[in-house]
Amino acid sequence: MAPIDKRLIEAVQAGLQEGTFCFTWCRNDDLREVARRFGADPGVGMWADPEELEDLEEEHGDDLLQLTPAGEWTLAFEPHGFQGEREEVLEALSAGGVALSFFWHGARDNRVIYAVDGNVLTSFSLADLPERSGSDPAALDELLGQVGLHDGLSMWGRKIRVLALAEMISGWRLTAEWVRSPQFAVAITTPAPRALVPRAYLHPREPFLDEPEFARILAAPSPATAPAVTRLVVSTLATAAGLQGHPLVREAIRVLDHGESFPGERETLRTRLHQAAEETRQAMPRRHEPALDTAGTAEAERLEQVGHSLYALGNALSPSPVNAAYTVADEALRVPRLSRADVMRLNVLKNVADRIRLDDPR
């Protein structure tokens, strides 16, 4: 493993330490074509210096896209955005080439995606490196070893090594000077619509897609199907976390299936689930204490998953069916150490919930 270049650390310290950002490297040196594949109109873009970029960030928020030539590649930077981590966008950007995306929204919400010729080969979170999805989950294993990206690192160290990975793939060096350099800036106005089922789940076709309830939801997603989406998320997560018999979870399922027994029961139960989640987290042993043995580490990981699951399940009780479907699916996908099969199910359900949310007239 080669030592991490001090230059990379300085680049992160120059403006990439906190908050949300998304880097996407793609092997395509046509900035205008890259902008179009992101859903932006390059005709209204402009080269902007750091001061102008600050004004544009204020004006466009998470829609701002900044592009930089990087040899045969283009580096796309979204200072507050996330389009680059969407598989639909990665598939378009990698068509006829290669694309690597790194989305960061904190230690628990981040994602690395590697796509080749329109196909997502591997995708993983820095919080759970062994859990990979994609058509070839091990596609980057050799390079991950070369840059030293592994579970024993702090999140800071993992962030730095993802950037080292991108440099190794693209051959382009990230510097502090780049952070302060002019870039081609344009707003994303027509983002690619989200596919309900990622391509990787279709070739070969995942069997759960043909289960009767999944098939009904996928055939006609609408606000009317939101309760069914919520119920599927709840059953998937409760089973995955071993919470089917938990009294609060059983109460939540009863309310979802049969409605409230008294006014305000949903809100009361949601509060109790969130309180139980916090109590579970507080009961966790510290995983990184030297004296913690293998059994203690496993228990800490189990409690972490249970606590996060209880919090996610509380979101299913939101009074708005559409909001409940989206927030419970979104939070469920953040639960650590779920199986690949459960992640795929939840990912499709979140996509459906997102489509429903966009179609909801309220």
PDB file of all heavy atoms in Angstrom, residues 21 102-112 123-131 144 149-163 165:
ATOM      1  N   PHE A  21     -21.244  16.685  -0.832  1.00  0.00           N
ATOM      2  CA  PHE A  21     -20.677  16.932  -2.155  1.00  0.00           C
ATOM      3  C   PHE A  21     -20.716  15.637  -2.947  1.00  0.00           C
ATOM      4  O   PHE A  21     -20.875  14.541  -2.388  1.00  0.00           O
ATOM      5  CB  PHE A  21     -19.243  17.484  -2.090  1.00  0.00           C
ATOM      6  CG  PHE A  21     -18.236  16.560  -1.467  1.00  0.00           C
ATOM      7  CD1 PHE A  21     -17.695  15.500  -2.170  1.00  0.00           C
ATOM      8  CD2 PHE A  21     -17.815  16.752  -0.157  1.00  0.00           C
ATOM      9  CE1 PHE A  21     -16.761  14.644  -1.604  1.00  0.00           C
ATOM     10  CE2 PHE A  21     -16.889  15.912   0.429  1.00  0.00           C
ATOM     11  CZ  PHE A  21     -16.354  14.859  -0.296  1.00  0.00           C
ATOM     12  N   PHE A 102     -18.363   9.481  -6.340  1.00  0.00           N
ATOM     13  CA  PHE A 102     -18.210   9.454  -4.892  1.00  0.00           C
ATOM     14  C   PHE A 102     -19.129  10.512  -4.294  1.00  0.00           C
ATOM     15  O   PHE A 102     -18.898  11.707  -4.451  1.00  0.00           O
ATOM     16  CB  PHE A 102     -16.755   9.727  -4.503  1.00  0.00           C
ATOM     17  CG  PHE A 102     -16.514   9.875  -3.016  1.00  0.00           C
ATOM     18  CD1 PHE A 102     -17.256   9.167  -2.089  1.00  0.00           C
ATOM     19  CD2 PHE A 102     -15.531  10.731  -2.545  1.00  0.00           C
ATOM     20  CE1 PHE A 102     -17.033   9.298  -0.726  1.00  0.00           C
ATOM     21  CE2 PHE A 102     -15.298  10.874  -1.189  1.00  0.00           C
ATOM     22  CZ  PHE A 102     -16.044  10.153  -0.270  1.00  0.00           C
ATOM     23  N   PHE A 103     -20.197  10.035  -3.634  1.00  0.00           N
ATOM     24  CA  PHE A 103     -21.154  10.930  -2.980  1.00  0.00           C
ATOM     25  C   PHE A 103     -20.902  10.903  -1.482  1.00  0.00           C
ATOM     26  O   PHE A 103     -20.759   9.835  -0.883  1.00  0.00           O
ATOM     27  CB  PHE A 103     -22.585  10.482  -3.270  1.00  0.00           C
ATOM     28  CG  PHE A 103     -23.637  11.201  -2.468  1.00  0.00           C
ATOM     29  CD1 PHE A 103     -23.944  12.524  -2.741  1.00  0.00           C
ATOM     30  CD2 PHE A 103     -24.307  10.564  -1.437  1.00  0.00           C
ATOM     31  CE1 PHE A 103     -24.915  13.200  -2.002  1.00  0.00           C
ATOM     32  CE2 PHE A 103     -25.279  11.220  -0.696  1.00  0.00           C
ATOM     33  CZ  PHE A 103     -25.571  12.545  -0.976  1.00  0.00           C
ATOM     34  N   TRP A 104     -20.848  12.092  -0.855  1.00  0.00           N
ATOM     35  CA  TRP A 104     -20.586  12.193   0.581  1.00  0.00           C
ATOM     36  C   TRP A 104     -21.637  13.087   1.235  1.00  0.00           C
ATOM     37  O   TRP A 104     -21.816  14.235   0.851  1.00  0.00           O
ATOM     38  CB  TRP A 104     -19.196  12.763   0.829  1.00  0.00           C
ATOM     39  CG  TRP A 104     -18.910  13.001   2.288  1.00  0.00           C
ATOM     40  CD1 TRP A 104     -19.121  14.149   2.985  1.00  0.00           C
ATOM     41  CD2 TRP A 104     -18.375  12.065   3.230  1.00  0.00           C
ATOM     42  NE1 TRP A 104     -18.752  13.987   4.299  1.00  0.00           N
ATOM     43  CE2 TRP A 104     -18.295  12.712   4.481  1.00  0.00           C
ATOM     44  CE3 TRP A 104     -17.961  10.723   3.124  1.00  0.00           C
ATOM     45  CZ2 TRP A 104     -17.820  12.074   5.621  1.00  0.00           C
ATOM     46  CZ3 TRP A 104     -17.481  10.091   4.261  1.00  0.00           C
ATOM     47  CH2 TRP A 104     -17.410  10.771   5.489  1.00  0.00           C
ATOM     48  N   HIS A 105     -22.347  12.512   2.211  1.00  0.00           N
ATOM     49  CA  HIS A 105     -23.275  13.294   3.028  1.00  0.00           C
ATOM     50  C   HIS A 105     -23.109  12.869   4.484  1.00  0.00           C
ATOM     51  O   HIS A 105     -24.074  12.674   5.223  1.00  0.00           O
ATOM     52  CB  HIS A 105     -24.712  13.086   2.554  1.00  0.00           C
ATOM     53  CG  HIS A 105     -25.724  13.955   3.239  1.00  0.00           C
ATOM     54  ND1 HIS A 105     -25.625  15.319   3.296  1.00  0.00           N
ATOM     55  CD2 HIS A 105     -26.864  13.638   3.911  1.00  0.00           C
ATOM     56  CE1 HIS A 105     -26.649  15.813   3.967  1.00  0.00           C
ATOM     57  NE2 HIS A 105     -27.415  14.816   4.366  1.00  0.00           N
ATOM     58  N   GLY A 106     -21.852  12.683   4.858  1.00  0.00           N
ATOM     59  CA  GLY A 106     -21.555  12.277   6.220  1.00  0.00           C
ATOM     60  C   GLY A 106     -21.194  10.810   6.322  1.00  0.00           C
ATOM     61  O   GLY A 106     -21.261  10.049   5.347  1.00  0.00           O
ATOM     62  N   ALA A 107     -20.791  10.390   7.526  1.00  0.00           N
ATOM     63  CA  ALA A 107     -20.273   9.048   7.740  1.00  0.00           C
ATOM     64  C   ALA A 107     -21.286   7.961   7.439  1.00  0.00           C
ATOM     65  O   ALA A 107     -20.929   6.853   7.044  1.00  0.00           O
ATOM     66  CB  ALA A 107     -19.772   8.917   9.179  1.00  0.00           C
ATOM     67  N   ARG A 108     -22.570   8.239   7.625  1.00  0.00           N
ATOM     68  CA  ARG A 108     -23.588   7.219   7.431  1.00  0.00           C
ATOM     69  C   ARG A 108     -24.259   7.277   6.070  1.00  0.00           C
ATOM     70  O   ARG A 108     -25.016   6.371   5.704  1.00  0.00           O
ATOM     71  CB  ARG A 108     -24.657   7.349   8.530  1.00  0.00           C
ATOM     72  CG  ARG A 108     -24.201   6.860   9.886  1.00  0.00           C
ATOM     73  CD  ARG A 108     -24.014   5.370   9.847  1.00  0.00           C
ATOM     74  NE  ARG A 108     -23.387   4.861  11.041  1.00  0.00           N
ATOM     75  CZ  ARG A 108     -22.699   3.748  11.096  1.00  0.00           C
ATOM     76  NH1 ARG A 108     -22.534   3.027  10.006  1.00  0.00           N
ATOM     77  NH2 ARG A 108     -22.162   3.332  12.226  1.00  0.00           N
ATOM     78  N   ASP A 109     -24.033   8.322   5.325  1.00  0.00           N
ATOM     79  CA  ASP A 109     -24.731   8.488   4.046  1.00  0.00           C
ATOM     80  C   ASP A 109     -23.697   8.845   2.986  1.00  0.00           C
ATOM     81  O   ASP A 109     -23.403  10.009   2.747  1.00  0.00           O
ATOM     82  CB  ASP A 109     -25.797   9.581   4.165  1.00  0.00           C
ATOM     83  CG  ASP A 109     -26.692   9.655   2.927  1.00  0.00           C
ATOM     84  OD1 ASP A 109     -26.555   8.782   2.048  1.00  0.00           O
ATOM     85  OD2 ASP A 109     -27.508  10.586   2.846  1.00  0.00           O
ATOM     86  N   ASN A 110     -23.133   7.822   2.363  1.00  0.00           N
ATOM     87  CA  ASN A 110     -22.139   8.037   1.316  1.00  0.00           C
ATOM     88  C   ASN A 110     -22.138   6.825   0.403  1.00  0.00           C
ATOM     89  O   ASN A 110     -22.610   5.750   0.772  1.00  0.00           O
ATOM     90  CB  ASN A 110     -20.748   8.273   1.922  1.00  0.00           C
ATOM     91  CG  ASN A 110     -20.356   7.162   2.875  1.00  0.00           C
ATOM     92  OD1 ASN A 110     -20.066   6.046   2.452  1.00  0.00           O
ATOM     93  ND2 ASN A 110     -20.375   7.453   4.175  1.00  0.00           N
ATOM     94  N   ARG A 111     -21.591   7.000  -0.783  1.00  0.00           N
ATOM     95  CA  ARG A 111     -21.661   5.906  -1.743  1.00  0.00           C
ATOM     96  C   ARG A 111     -20.582   6.067  -2.798  1.00  0.00           C
ATOM     97  O   ARG A 111     -20.304   7.191  -3.247  1.00  0.00           O
ATOM     98  CB  ARG A 111     -23.039   5.889  -2.411  1.00  0.00           C
ATOM     99  CG  ARG A 111     -23.365   4.605  -3.172  1.00  0.00           C
ATOM    100  CD  ARG A 111     -24.764   4.686  -3.750  1.00  0.00           C
ATOM    101  NE  ARG A 111     -25.139   3.444  -4.420  1.00  0.00           N
ATOM    102  CZ  ARG A 111     -26.059   3.361  -5.367  1.00  0.00           C
ATOM    103  NH1 ARG A 111     -26.709   4.437  -5.740  1.00  0.00           N
ATOM    104  NH2 ARG A 111     -26.360   2.216  -5.935  1.00  0.00           N
ATOM    105  N   VAL A 112     -19.959   4.967  -3.175  1.00  0.00           N
ATOM    106  CA  VAL A 112     -18.994   4.915  -4.278  1.00  0.00           C
ATOM    107  C   VAL A 112     -19.586   4.003  -5.342  1.00  0.00           C
ATOM    108  O   VAL A 112     -20.040   2.894  -5.033  1.00  0.00           O
ATOM    109  CB  VAL A 112     -17.633   4.367  -3.804  1.00  0.00           C
ATOM    110  CG1 VAL A 112     -16.663   4.266  -4.973  1.00  0.00           C
ATOM    111  CG2 VAL A 112     -17.054   5.249  -2.701  1.00  0.00           C
ATOM    112  N   SER A 123     -20.890  -1.078  -6.360  1.00  0.00           N
ATOM    113  CA  SER A 123     -21.369   0.064  -5.595  1.00  0.00           C
ATOM    114  C   SER A 123     -21.296  -0.317  -4.122  1.00  0.00           C
ATOM    115  O   SER A 123     -21.628  -1.440  -3.748  1.00  0.00           O
ATOM    116  CB  SER A 123     -22.817   0.381  -5.994  1.00  0.00           C
ATOM    117  OG  SER A 123     -23.369   1.355  -5.143  1.00  0.00           O
ATOM    118  N   PHE A 124     -20.824   0.629  -3.289  1.00  0.00           N
ATOM    119  CA  PHE A 124     -20.712   0.325  -1.861  1.00  0.00           C
ATOM    120  C   PHE A 124     -20.681   1.608  -1.052  1.00  0.00           C
ATOM    121  O   PHE A 124     -20.414   2.698  -1.565  1.00  0.00           O
ATOM    122  CB  PHE A 124     -19.455  -0.499  -1.571  1.00  0.00           C
ATOM    123  CG  PHE A 124     -18.167   0.125  -2.046  1.00  0.00           C
ATOM    124  CD1 PHE A 124     -17.450   0.987  -1.231  1.00  0.00           C
ATOM    125  CD2 PHE A 124     -17.668  -0.159  -3.312  1.00  0.00           C
ATOM    126  CE1 PHE A 124     -16.264   1.559  -1.661  1.00  0.00           C
ATOM    127  CE2 PHE A 124     -16.476   0.410  -3.759  1.00  0.00           C
ATOM    128  CZ  PHE A 124     -15.772   1.275  -2.930  1.00  0.00           C
ATOM    129  N   SER A 125     -20.970   1.456   0.253  1.00  0.00           N
ATOM    130  CA  SER A 125     -20.901   2.562   1.201  1.00  0.00           C
ATOM    131  C   SER A 125     -19.593   2.471   1.968  1.00  0.00           C
ATOM    132  O   SER A 125     -19.130   1.369   2.292  1.00  0.00           O
ATOM    133  CB  SER A 125     -22.084   2.498   2.170  1.00  0.00           C
ATOM    134  OG  SER A 125     -21.852   3.332   3.292  1.00  0.00           O
ATOM    135  N   LEU A 126     -19.003   3.609   2.302  1.00  0.00           N
ATOM    136  CA  LEU A 126     -17.783   3.608   3.100  1.00  0.00           C
ATOM    137  C   LEU A 126     -18.038   3.103   4.514  1.00  0.00           C
ATOM    138  O   LEU A 126     -17.117   2.678   5.201  1.00  0.00           O
ATOM    139  CB  LEU A 126     -17.183   5.018   3.167  1.00  0.00           C
ATOM    140  CG  LEU A 126     -16.673   5.603   1.851  1.00  0.00           C
ATOM    141  CD1 LEU A 126     -15.963   6.917   2.107  1.00  0.00           C
ATOM    142  CD2 LEU A 126     -15.754   4.634   1.135  1.00  0.00           C
ATOM    143  N   ALA A 127     -19.300   3.157   4.960  1.00  0.00           N
ATOM    144  CA  ALA A 127     -19.620   2.682   6.297  1.00  0.00           C
ATOM    145  C   ALA A 127     -19.690   1.157   6.360  1.00  0.00           C
ATOM    146  O   ALA A 127     -19.655   0.581   7.447  1.00  0.00           O
ATOM    147  CB  ALA A 127     -20.947   3.278   6.764  1.00  0.00           C
ATOM    148  N   ASP A 128     -19.784   0.490   5.201  1.00  0.00           N
ATOM    149  CA  ASP A 128     -19.912  -0.964   5.174  1.00  0.00           C
ATOM    150  C   ASP A 128     -19.224  -1.487   3.918  1.00  0.00           C
ATOM    151  O   ASP A 128     -19.867  -1.947   2.981  1.00  0.00           O
ATOM    152  CB  ASP A 128     -21.395  -1.348   5.208  1.00  0.00           C
ATOM    153  CG  ASP A 128     -21.608  -2.824   5.505  1.00  0.00           C
ATOM    154  OD1 ASP A 128     -20.624  -3.505   5.827  1.00  0.00           O
ATOM    155  OD2 ASP A 128     -22.754  -3.279   5.423  1.00  0.00           O
ATOM    156  N   LEU A 129     -17.898  -1.433   3.911  1.00  0.00           N
ATOM    157  CA  LEU A 129     -17.127  -1.742   2.710  1.00  0.00           C
ATOM    158  C   LEU A 129     -17.333  -3.166   2.181  1.00  0.00           C
ATOM    159  O   LEU A 129     -17.377  -3.359   0.965  1.00  0.00           O
ATOM    160  CB  LEU A 129     -15.639  -1.503   2.975  1.00  0.00           C
ATOM    161  CG  LEU A 129     -15.238  -0.039   3.192  1.00  0.00           C
ATOM    162  CD1 LEU A 129     -13.783   0.057   3.614  1.00  0.00           C
ATOM    163  CD2 LEU A 129     -15.457   0.765   1.912  1.00  0.00           C
ATOM    164  N   PRO A 130     -17.482  -4.183   3.042  1.00  0.00           N
ATOM    165  CA  PRO A 130     -17.631  -5.532   2.488  1.00  0.00           C
ATOM    166  C   PRO A 130     -18.942  -5.751   1.728  1.00  0.00           C
ATOM    167  O   PRO A 130     -19.037  -6.661   0.908  1.00  0.00           O
ATOM    168  CB  PRO A 130     -17.575  -6.432   3.732  1.00  0.00           C
ATOM    169  CG  PRO A 130     -16.902  -5.614   4.782  1.00  0.00           C
ATOM    170  CD  PRO A 130     -17.349  -4.210   4.506  1.00  0.00           C
ATOM    171  N   GLU A 131     -19.957  -4.955   2.017  1.00  0.00           N
ATOM    172  CA  GLU A 131     -21.265  -5.151   1.384  1.00  0.00           C
ATOM    173  C   GLU A 131     -21.292  -4.419   0.049  1.00  0.00           C
ATOM    174  O   GLU A 131     -21.363  -3.191   0.001  1.00  0.00           O
ATOM    175  CB  GLU A 131     -22.378  -4.644   2.296  1.00  0.00           C
ATOM    176  CG  GLU A 131     -23.773  -4.966   1.795  1.00  0.00           C
ATOM    177  CD  GLU A 131     -24.032  -6.461   1.693  1.00  0.00           C
ATOM    178  OE1 GLU A 131     -23.676  -7.202   2.617  1.00  0.00           O
ATOM    179  OE2 GLU A 131     -24.580  -6.873   0.652  1.00  0.00           O
ATOM    180  N   LEU A 144      -8.693  -1.283  -4.587  1.00  0.00           N
ATOM    181  CA  LEU A 144      -8.972  -0.914  -3.191  1.00  0.00           C
ATOM    182  C   LEU A 144      -7.821  -1.356  -2.299  1.00  0.00           C
ATOM    183  O   LEU A 144      -7.438  -0.651  -1.355  1.00  0.00           O
ATOM    184  CB  LEU A 144     -10.283  -1.536  -2.716  1.00  0.00           C
ATOM    185  CG  LEU A 144     -11.561  -1.047  -3.398  1.00  0.00           C
ATOM    186  CD1 LEU A 144     -12.776  -1.771  -2.823  1.00  0.00           C
ATOM    187  CD2 LEU A 144     -11.718   0.448  -3.246  1.00  0.00           C
ATOM    188  N   LEU A 149      -7.859   0.987   1.086  1.00  0.00           N
ATOM    189  CA  LEU A 149      -9.202   1.305   1.571  1.00  0.00           C
ATOM    190  C   LEU A 149      -9.781   0.051   2.220  1.00  0.00           C
ATOM    191  O   LEU A 149     -10.103  -0.929   1.545  1.00  0.00           O
ATOM    192  CB  LEU A 149     -10.086   1.771   0.415  1.00  0.00           C
ATOM    193  CG  LEU A 149     -11.521   2.183   0.763  1.00  0.00           C
ATOM    194  CD1 LEU A 149     -11.549   3.266   1.823  1.00  0.00           C
ATOM    195  CD2 LEU A 149     -12.266   2.646  -0.487  1.00  0.00           C
ATOM    196  N   HIS A 150      -9.916   0.074   3.556  1.00  0.00           N
ATOM    197  CA  HIS A 150     -10.395  -1.096   4.289  1.00  0.00           C
ATOM    198  C   HIS A 150     -11.142  -0.654   5.541  1.00  0.00           C
ATOM    199  O   HIS A 150     -11.129   0.517   5.938  1.00  0.00           O
ATOM    200  CB  HIS A 150      -9.237  -2.025   4.652  1.00  0.00           C
ATOM    201  CG  HIS A 150      -8.144  -1.346   5.433  1.00  0.00           C
ATOM    202  ND1 HIS A 150      -8.240  -1.083   6.778  1.00  0.00           N
ATOM    203  CD2 HIS A 150      -6.935  -0.866   5.039  1.00  0.00           C
ATOM    204  CE1 HIS A 150      -7.145  -0.484   7.199  1.00  0.00           C
ATOM    205  NE2 HIS A 150      -6.337  -0.334   6.155  1.00  0.00           N
ATOM    206  N   ASP A 151     -11.798  -1.604   6.200  1.00  0.00           N
ATOM    207  CA  ASP A 151     -12.682  -1.315   7.331  1.00  0.00           C
ATOM    208  C   ASP A 151     -11.973  -0.749   8.551  1.00  0.00           C
ATOM    209  O   ASP A 151     -12.604  -0.137   9.402  1.00  0.00           O
ATOM    210  CB  ASP A 151     -13.444  -2.583   7.735  1.00  0.00           C
ATOM    211  CG  ASP A 151     -14.816  -2.654   7.083  1.00  0.00           C
ATOM    212  OD1 ASP A 151     -15.313  -1.604   6.648  1.00  0.00           O
ATOM    213  OD2 ASP A 151     -15.381  -3.758   7.004  1.00  0.00           O
ATOM    214  N   GLY A 152     -10.676  -0.970   8.671  1.00  0.00           N
ATOM    215  CA  GLY A 152      -9.973  -0.512   9.862  1.00  0.00           C
ATOM    216  C   GLY A 152      -9.696   0.981   9.908  1.00  0.00           C
ATOM    217  O   GLY A 152      -9.218   1.496  10.930  1.00  0.00           O
ATOM    218  N   LEU A 153     -10.006   1.699   8.842  1.00  0.00           N
ATOM    219  CA  LEU A 153      -9.702   3.124   8.757  1.00  0.00           C
ATOM    220  C   LEU A 153     -10.798   3.984   9.380  1.00  0.00           C
ATOM    221  O   LEU A 153     -11.961   3.581   9.436  1.00  0.00           O
ATOM    222  CB  LEU A 153      -9.545   3.545   7.290  1.00  0.00           C
ATOM    223  CG  LEU A 153      -8.386   2.931   6.510  1.00  0.00           C
ATOM    224  CD1 LEU A 153      -8.544   3.263   5.038  1.00  0.00           C
ATOM    225  CD2 LEU A 153      -7.052   3.447   7.027  1.00  0.00           C
ATOM    226  N   SER A 154     -10.419   5.185   9.809  1.00  0.00           N
ATOM    227  CA  SER A 154     -11.419   6.182  10.188  1.00  0.00           C
ATOM    228  C   SER A 154     -12.172   6.619   8.940  1.00  0.00           C
ATOM    229  O   SER A 154     -11.721   6.388   7.806  1.00  0.00           O
ATOM    230  CB  SER A 154     -10.737   7.395  10.818  1.00  0.00           C
ATOM    231  OG  SER A 154      -9.951   8.071   9.835  1.00  0.00           O
ATOM    232  N   MET A 155     -13.326   7.273   9.112  1.00  0.00           N
ATOM    233  CA  MET A 155     -14.063   7.759   7.954  1.00  0.00           C
ATOM    234  C   MET A 155     -13.258   8.798   7.197  1.00  0.00           C
ATOM    235  O   MET A 155     -13.335   8.888   5.970  1.00  0.00           O
ATOM    236  CB  MET A 155     -15.420   8.321   8.379  1.00  0.00           C
ATOM    237  CG  MET A 155     -16.392   7.259   8.877  1.00  0.00           C
ATOM    238  SD  MET A 155     -16.661   5.895   7.697  1.00  0.00           S
ATOM    239  CE  MET A 155     -17.454   6.754   6.344  1.00  0.00           C
ATOM    240  N   TRP A 156     -12.473   9.606   7.915  1.00  0.00           N
ATOM    241  CA  TRP A 156     -11.588  10.573   7.256  1.00  0.00           C
ATOM    242  C   TRP A 156     -10.609   9.837   6.342  1.00  0.00           C
ATOM    243  O   TRP A 156     -10.409  10.204   5.184  1.00  0.00           O
ATOM    244  CB  TRP A 156     -10.851  11.382   8.316  1.00  0.00           C
ATOM    245  CG  TRP A 156      -9.655  12.135   7.817  1.00  0.00           C
ATOM    246  CD1 TRP A 156      -8.351  11.734   7.853  1.00  0.00           C
ATOM    247  CD2 TRP A 156      -9.638  13.417   7.183  1.00  0.00           C
ATOM    248  NE1 TRP A 156      -7.534  12.672   7.299  1.00  0.00           N
ATOM    249  CE2 TRP A 156      -8.293  13.720   6.876  1.00  0.00           C
ATOM    250  CE3 TRP A 156     -10.624  14.330   6.854  1.00  0.00           C
ATOM    251  CZ2 TRP A 156      -7.913  14.914   6.263  1.00  0.00           C
ATOM    252  CZ3 TRP A 156     -10.237  15.515   6.232  1.00  0.00           C
ATOM    253  CH2 TRP A 156      -8.908  15.792   5.946  1.00  0.00           C
ATOM    254  N   GLY A 157      -9.999   8.780   6.855  1.00  0.00           N
ATOM    255  CA  GLY A 157      -9.050   8.015   6.052  1.00  0.00           C
ATOM    256  C   GLY A 157      -9.712   7.365   4.849  1.00  0.00           C
ATOM    257  O   GLY A 157      -9.127   7.287   3.774  1.00  0.00           O
ATOM    258  N   ARG A 158     -10.939   6.902   5.013  1.00  0.00           N
ATOM    259  CA  ARG A 158     -11.651   6.280   3.888  1.00  0.00           C
ATOM    260  C   ARG A 158     -11.961   7.311   2.805  1.00  0.00           C
ATOM    261  O   ARG A 158     -11.848   7.041   1.606  1.00  0.00           O
ATOM    262  CB  ARG A 158     -12.942   5.621   4.381  1.00  0.00           C
ATOM    263  CG  ARG A 158     -12.707   4.535   5.406  1.00  0.00           C
ATOM    264  CD  ARG A 158     -13.990   3.869   5.873  1.00  0.00           C
ATOM    265  NE  ARG A 158     -13.767   3.170   7.138  1.00  0.00           N
ATOM    266  CZ  ARG A 158     -14.491   2.171   7.586  1.00  0.00           C
ATOM    267  NH1 ARG A 158     -15.518   1.742   6.875  1.00  0.00           N
ATOM    268  NH2 ARG A 158     -14.229   1.600   8.738  1.00  0.00           N
ATOM    269  N   LYS A 159     -12.362   8.509   3.235  1.00  0.00           N
ATOM    270  CA  LYS A 159     -12.656   9.569   2.269  1.00  0.00           C
ATOM    271  C   LYS A 159     -11.414   9.894   1.425  1.00  0.00           C
ATOM    272  O   LYS A 159     -11.488   9.991   0.192  1.00  0.00           O
ATOM    273  CB  LYS A 159     -13.128  10.831   3.000  1.00  0.00           C
ATOM    274  CG  LYS A 159     -13.507  11.973   2.072  1.00  0.00           C
ATOM    275  CD  LYS A 159     -13.688  13.283   2.827  1.00  0.00           C
ATOM    276  CE  LYS A 159     -14.871  13.298   3.742  1.00  0.00           C
ATOM    277  NZ  LYS A 159     -15.134  14.659   4.289  1.00  0.00           N
ATOM    278  N   ILE A 160     -10.280  10.041   2.089  1.00  0.00           N
ATOM    279  CA  ILE A 160      -9.039  10.354   1.384  1.00  0.00           C
ATOM    280  C   ILE A 160      -8.689   9.253   0.388  1.00  0.00           C
ATOM    281  O   ILE A 160      -8.292   9.506  -0.752  1.00  0.00           O
ATOM    282  CB  ILE A 160      -7.880  10.539   2.390  1.00  0.00           C
ATOM    283  CG1 ILE A 160      -8.114  11.768   3.269  1.00  0.00           C
ATOM    284  CG2 ILE A 160      -6.545  10.639   1.663  1.00  0.00           C
ATOM    285  CD1 ILE A 160      -8.012  13.082   2.544  1.00  0.00           C
ATOM    286  N   ARG A 161      -8.885   7.998   0.791  1.00  0.00           N
ATOM    287  CA  ARG A 161      -8.482   6.887  -0.076  1.00  0.00           C
ATOM    288  C   ARG A 161      -9.426   6.694  -1.253  1.00  0.00           C
ATOM    289  O   ARG A 161      -9.022   6.157  -2.285  1.00  0.00           O
ATOM    290  CB  ARG A 161      -8.347   5.614   0.761  1.00  0.00           C
ATOM    291  CG  ARG A 161      -7.002   5.600   1.516  1.00  0.00           C
ATOM    292  CD  ARG A 161      -6.946   4.580   2.618  1.00  0.00           C
ATOM    293  NE  ARG A 161      -5.618   4.526   3.201  1.00  0.00           N
ATOM    294  CZ  ARG A 161      -5.144   5.407   4.084  1.00  0.00           C
ATOM    295  NH1 ARG A 161      -5.897   6.431   4.475  1.00  0.00           N
ATOM    296  NH2 ARG A 161      -3.927   5.292   4.563  1.00  0.00           N
ATOM    297  N   VAL A 162     -10.677   7.123  -1.145  1.00  0.00           N
ATOM    298  CA  VAL A 162     -11.548   7.100  -2.321  1.00  0.00           C
ATOM    299  C   VAL A 162     -11.013   8.071  -3.368  1.00  0.00           C
ATOM    300  O   VAL A 162     -11.004   7.776  -4.567  1.00  0.00           O
ATOM    301  CB  VAL A 162     -12.997   7.457  -1.947  1.00  0.00           C
ATOM    302  CG1 VAL A 162     -13.831   7.680  -3.205  1.00  0.00           C
ATOM    303  CG2 VAL A 162     -13.628   6.352  -1.122  1.00  0.00           C
ATOM    304  N   LEU A 163     -10.560   9.232  -2.924  1.00  0.00           N
ATOM    305  CA  LEU A 163      -9.993  10.188  -3.872  1.00  0.00           C
ATOM    306  C   LEU A 163      -8.714   9.635  -4.496  1.00  0.00           C
ATOM    307  O   LEU A 163      -8.454   9.837  -5.695  1.00  0.00           O
ATOM    308  CB  LEU A 163      -9.706  11.515  -3.164  1.00  0.00           C
ATOM    309  CG  LEU A 163     -10.946  12.208  -2.564  1.00  0.00           C
ATOM    310  CD1 LEU A 163     -10.547  13.483  -1.841  1.00  0.00           C
ATOM    311  CD2 LEU A 163     -11.980  12.509  -3.639  1.00  0.00           C
ATOM    312  N   LEU A 165      -8.201   6.479  -5.012  1.00  0.00           N
ATOM    313  CA  LEU A 165      -8.708   5.487  -5.954  1.00  0.00           C
ATOM    314  C   LEU A 165      -9.088   6.150  -7.278  1.00  0.00           C
ATOM    315  O   LEU A 165      -8.753   5.662  -8.359  1.00  0.00           O
ATOM    316  CB  LEU A 165      -9.919   4.782  -5.351  1.00  0.00           C
ATOM    317  CG  LEU A 165     -10.704   3.853  -6.268  1.00  0.00           C
ATOM    318  CD1 LEU A 165      -9.904   2.596  -6.566  1.00  0.00           C
ATOM    319  CD2 LEU A 165     -12.056   3.482  -5.630  1.00  0.00           C
TER     320      LEU A 165
END
